[in-house]
Amino acid sequence: MKLTIPPPLSLYIHIPWCVRKCPYCDFNSHQIRNDFSENDYVAALLADLEQDLPRVWGRTVHSIFIGGGTPSVLSPEAIDTLLSGVRSRLPIIANAEITLEANPGTVDSVRFQEFYEIGINRLSLGIQSFNESTLQRLGRIHGHIEAIRAIELAIQAGFNNFNLDLMFGLPIQTVDMALEDLHTALTFNPSHLSWYQLTIEPNTLFYKHPPLLPDDDLIWEIQKAGQQYLAEQNYFQYEISAYAKSGHQCQHNLNYWKFGDYLGIGAGAHAKITDVAQGTTTRYHKQRHPDIYLQSANNPITSCTILTAEDIALEFMMNALRLFEGFTTQEFTESTSLNLECIEKPLQKAYAQGWLISNLEHLKNAQEKSLQEIQRIKTTDNGMRFLNDVLELFVP
């Protein structure tokens, strides 16, 4: 089977600077310097976008995500120039979701108001915790008061669609402490919550000097208690670490998880682009270090790889199995142009382990649609807990 139409297209924009690098962060982020020029970086982003345009001629952007780093270190004027430049180069659907990540330590009422007025319609606030001592252990530049104040200012500025980032499994954290963070967050009625486990990654300060974290059993207890509490408050879990009110899933991230296409501009950004005419899916990576990126914005690509059928199948599964709804066989075929038979062996192993489940047996008598269209495969609770082991089965 050959794809006839390309998947939905999103745009990711990376801002690599932070006021201070957090000890747990392994993202491409750098402490901002005194000689930093936001105008130069915005100009480089637009030059980067220019050289990407031939790859997506005629296609429309469905969502924009400005991430980092800490994008809110840029002024509203710089973000306005950036978005205006994007709009003049790419068609964007009406009412497209445009998200900006913000750190509570880098915002004020005027800044939030101006972000809202220039077209940012979704904020993602990096709270991580409301516990003062925990925030200090995490090396955050904000405290409890700043976290509360940032949320209040966002609401006052007009943002009714916002995400709060929180972590669990934090140093010396208990179940009660984790639930208190969630309770505090939900008093502000956010439309979306990202609640994810702190993991110790290589090339971080925490990797060199590990903090004392809860053991695996306690982390699992925290996770189950938090999931139950959020469900009781009508926040449904649709992905491993994503919870939303009905109708408020993050459209940009959903496009990733449903194997959509995306442009990526900025230092260290990467992209996945499908060429229907050529029948190829290609992944691109941009220069990682900001200084080198600024010098090469007219040609910032460091690598481009045409994905093999095995790569495509693995990447589809790595994304789709994160979603609690899983995927249908039709979605797999339409997104990858592959037949399900190519992953049948690992699927059977995952079924046998109780990690995946299919509704095929319940569809034997279905008449209104073919089984190919409505068969759904999804991860079980145990599969979600051991997702890395599940995905290992699909590695070529």
Side-chain angles (χ1 to χ4, degrees):
M1 176 182 173
K2 184 177 180 181
L3 295 180
T4 56
I5 57 172
L9 178 69
S10 294
L11 171 65
Y12 175 76
I13 303 171
H14 190 70
I15 311 298
W17 287 284
C18 293
V19 174
R20 184 172 67 212
K21 179 87 170 179
C22 293
Y24 57 83
C25 179
D26 69 332
F27 293 154
N28 185 31
S29 59
H30 304 260
Q31 185 165 324
I32 199 165
R33 302 192 308 244
N34 291 332
D35 62 349
F36 165 69
S37 168
E38 64 178 16
N39 292 333
D40 288 348
Y41 191 70
V42 169
L45 287 171
L46 295 177
D48 184 354
L49 180 60
E50 282 278 352
Q51 61 85 34
D52 271 346
L53 292 180
R55 299 182 179 92
V56 292
W57 286 130
R59 297 178 63 179
T60 300
V61 170
H62 289 248
S63 66
I64 299 173
F65 196 103
I66 307 173
T70 306
S72 54
V73 300
L74 297 188
S75 68
E77 292 79 12
I79 298 293
D80 188 23
T81 300
L82 172 61
L83 289 179
S84 296
V86 170
R87 292 184 183 107
S88 69
R89 290 166 172 81
L90 281 170
I92 302 170
I93 64 167
N95 301 315
E97 178 190 87
I98 304 177
T99 302
L100 175 79
E101 289 185 334
N103 186 310
T106 62
V107 291
D108 53 48
S109 58
V110 173
R111 213 172 182 84
F112 269 147
Q113 187 66 51
E114 292 181 350
F115 284 144
Y116 183 77
E117 290 173 354
I118 63 176
I120 302 296
N121 54 30
R122 184 176 183 272
L123 276 183
S124 182
L125 291 171
I127 304 296
Q128 314 313 351
S129 176
F130 291 97
N131 185 287
E132 194 72 48
S133 60
T134 299
L135 287 168
Q136 292 175 7
R137 292 187 183 94
L138 292 175
R140 300 294 288 173
I141 65 171
H142 71 273
H144 172 86
I145 294 175
E146 290 83 3
I148 298 295
R149 183 62 176 153
I151 301 171
E152 292 174 341
L153 291 175
I155 295 170
Q156 291 171 14
F159 288 101
N160 54 21
N161 187 16
F162 63 93
N163 169 66
L164 300 182
D165 257 1
L166 291 173
M167 295 194 296
F168 66 90
L170 304 176
I172 73 167
Q173 191 178 49
T174 64
V175 173
D176 287 344
M177 290 169 66
L179 290 177
E180 181 60 29
D181 272 347
L182 292 177
H183 173 74
T184 302
L186 265 53
T187 61
F188 296 99
N189 199 32
S191 54
H192 192 282
L193 201 71
S194 296
W195 190 56
Y196 52 94
Q197 182 185 341
L198 170 64
T199 56
I200 305 301
E201 304 291 347
N203 302 315
T204 65
L205 186 60
F206 274 2
Y207 188 79
K208 297 176 183 176
H209 307 284
L212 182 61
L213 301 181
D215 62 33
D216 289 345
D217 289 340
L218 179 53
I219 288 175
W220 182 242
E221 188 180 349
I222 289 172
Q223 183 173 340
K224 297 306 290 183
Q227 288 172 331
Q228 179 180 343
Y229 173 72
L230 290 168
E232 291 169 351
Q233 305 303 312
N234 296 317
Y235 285 82
F236 74 97
Q237 186 174 11
Y238 66 99
E239 188 265 349
I240 289 178
S241 58
Y243 303 76
K245 289 183 174 183
S246 180
H248 286 86
Q249 301 99 312
C250 177
Q251 297 305 305
H252 186 87
N253 286 342
L254 270 177
N255 192 45
Y256 292 151
W257 298 325
K258 289 179 178 288
F259 208 56
D261 277 359
Y262 53 94
L263 289 171
I265 61 173
H270 56 93
K272 169 191 163 284
I273 301 297
T274 301
D275 187 324
V276 172
Q278 297 295 323
T280 58
T281 299
T282 306
R283 187 169 295 287
Y284 303 88
H285 289 83
K286 305 295 175 66
Q287 290 284 357
R288 183 174 175 83
H289 196 280
D291 290 342
I292 300 175
Y293 174 80
L294 282 165
Q295 296 165 13
S296 59
N298 289 312
N299 186 25
I301 293 176
T302 58
S303 68
C304 65
T305 304
I306 297 177
L307 303 183
T308 64
E310 291 81 5
D311 294 332
I312 290 171
L314 174 62
E315 290 203 15
F316 179 92
M317 299 303 285
M318 288 177 67
N319 287 283
L321 293 184
R322 296 176 62 94
L323 293 170
F324 272 65
E325 70 175 12
F327 64 96
T328 65
T329 12
Q330 183 182 25
E331 288 170 340
F332 177 82
T333 301
E334 290 181 349
S335 297
T336 65
S337 75
L338 303 172
N339 292 319
L340 199 68
E341 285 75 14
C342 70
I343 55 169
E344 190 61 35
K345 287 184 179 179
L347 280 177
Q348 293 303 324
K349 290 180 181 179
Y351 294 146
Q353 291 284 354
W355 289 338
L356 295 182
I357 190 170
S358 167
N359 65 347
L360 182 59
E361 289 304 315
H362 301 287
L363 300 175
K364 294 298 187 183
N365 298 320
Q367 300 296 324
E368 68 280 7
K369 292 184 179 180
S370 71
L371 297 183
Q372 176 76 3
E373 289 178 327
I374 59 180
Q375 182 189 357
R376 181 171 294 278
I377 299 167
K378 61 182 181 179
T379 316
T380 63
D381 287 347
N382 211 34
M384 281 293 185
R385 185 177 184 183
F386 300 105
L387 186 58
N388 287 339
D389 294 319
V390 181
L391 296 176
E392 281 290 331
L393 297 175
F394 296 90
V395 176

